[in-house]
Amino acid sequence: MCHAIKMTDDTQLLTLQNQLAQMQVQIDALKKDKAVWQEDKVEMQTRIDHLLAELKLSKSQKYGRKSEKAPRGTFNEAEQHKTSEPPKHHKKGKQSLAKHFEREDVEHTLTELACTCCGEQMHHCGSEDSEQVKIIPAKISVIKHKQFKYACRHCEHEELSCKIITAPKPAQPIPGSIASPEALAAVVTAKYCDALPLYRLVDIFERGGLKISRGTLANWCIKVGVLIKPLVKAMQRHLLGEHSLCADETRVQVLDEGDNPSSNSQMWVYRSNEVSKQPVVIYDYQAGRSRACAEAFLRDYQGYLQCDGYSVYDGIEGVIPVGCWAHARRKYDEALKAESKNKGRAHKAISFISQLYKIETQAKNKKLSPQARYQLRQEKALPILTQFKAWLDEASDKVIAGSYIGKAIKYNLNQWHKLIRYVEDGHLGIDNNITERDIRPFTTGRKNWLFSKSVNGAQASAILYSIVMTCRANDINPYYYFQHLFKTLPARQSDDDDFTDLMPWNVHLDFDYS
């Protein structure tokens, strides 16, 4: 009986041990599931934080301030030391009107000259002058060309036939067209300088009594683009001989380009550096955004090229890419707007970059030469860059790779060899903002006219924008420059002519503004 009891106890013990083992397996499985759930929770929370950051950045970009400048009152290490220069005050009072405006005198006199005190006659003793602006909408007039004919009296009486010679008129930009150089200059200036779509110009001209179709205006733009193309090619050759260049690109939709009308082509922009004495801006229309597009334009160029972090600019033979600190700073600005926590690193990075920009401001205010600017950067900017690089290396291991601050630091480190290259040469700028400003009029116009219908229209736009932005870079009135070109270029016989005399810095535009 004792033996039976012992067997029963052993059986129960074995059963309990088996149950305990099963429970341990279940516990291990639950622990494993818990660990997986914990990982999923962390991953999900990271994803939620990232989506919230994207939402916050999107709302900030849509509704918030567009400027990257720090608001007043924000602490900035680069501005701790106040300048000793006195603050600049804006002039107050009425604006003085330019002397070249036509003046129209309107006299105001008293009808009753009897003195209110004694009744005696008052006499004129001076005047009080004030001026107002008078603006007349687009004035449309007609140029009537009368070409006189000449015949020889002697031949009329003595010969069997008499030759009649007609006095020639100057070569016209569009032969047989009603468009004068002044009309063409007005149309292309309104479209490419003021971003007015052609349909609005049609309405403006119709209010002035001239009915003209949008298709006709578009045809004018394309034809004058072809007329000006040799000059723009000459400007491009001048540009490729510069010490250093800047580049950027933006999308443009061309309906007749390729099989898909909604696909985007590209408008590439190249320009002289910010210290160039004879700056040139060239727009280059291309169907794509590949390396081949940049290589085709830059094949005859050797030197520095300041651009953003787009990889197609890397590895082009003879071209040394230079980074843009504005793009680097923009990444940290996005991190500040997107992330609610851990903003300290973004503020620290922006503080470093602000110190670099403060040095550039000093150089600009003192109007330093490229050599002097190089010396200033070597003395003041290099130590800051050394400190910044050490901070980036340390911070890169402490941030989440997928976060906005992590992406900003990674971009900074990946682009570092190009970002610090600007200190090598005083001709180089610290950023590529000068090119972004030159591309902005195109993007503004694109919001109005949305797309180009044909490839010829897009190419003409590139040519005409090149003239407009080169005029702006050289502080020249584009309307009068276009007018001069449309009167001069038709007489040029060959595309291989020397266009040196027509370069913006060689043209003296002496026009009567009235």
Side-chain angles (χ1 to χ4, degrees), residues 123-136:
H123 66 88
H124 175 262
C125 63
S127 65
E128 181 178 322
D129 298 339
S130 61
E131 293 184 331
Q132 290 179 317
V133 175
K134 179 180 180 181
I135 300 176
I136 301 175

Side-chain angles (χ1 to χ4, degrees), residues 221-237:
C221 292
I222 292 174
K223 289 189 174 182
V224 296
V226 174
L227 177 67
I228 293 178
K229 186 176 180 179
L231 173 63
V232 174
K233 286 293 184 183
M235 289 181 174
Q236 180 176 335
R237 291 192 293 271

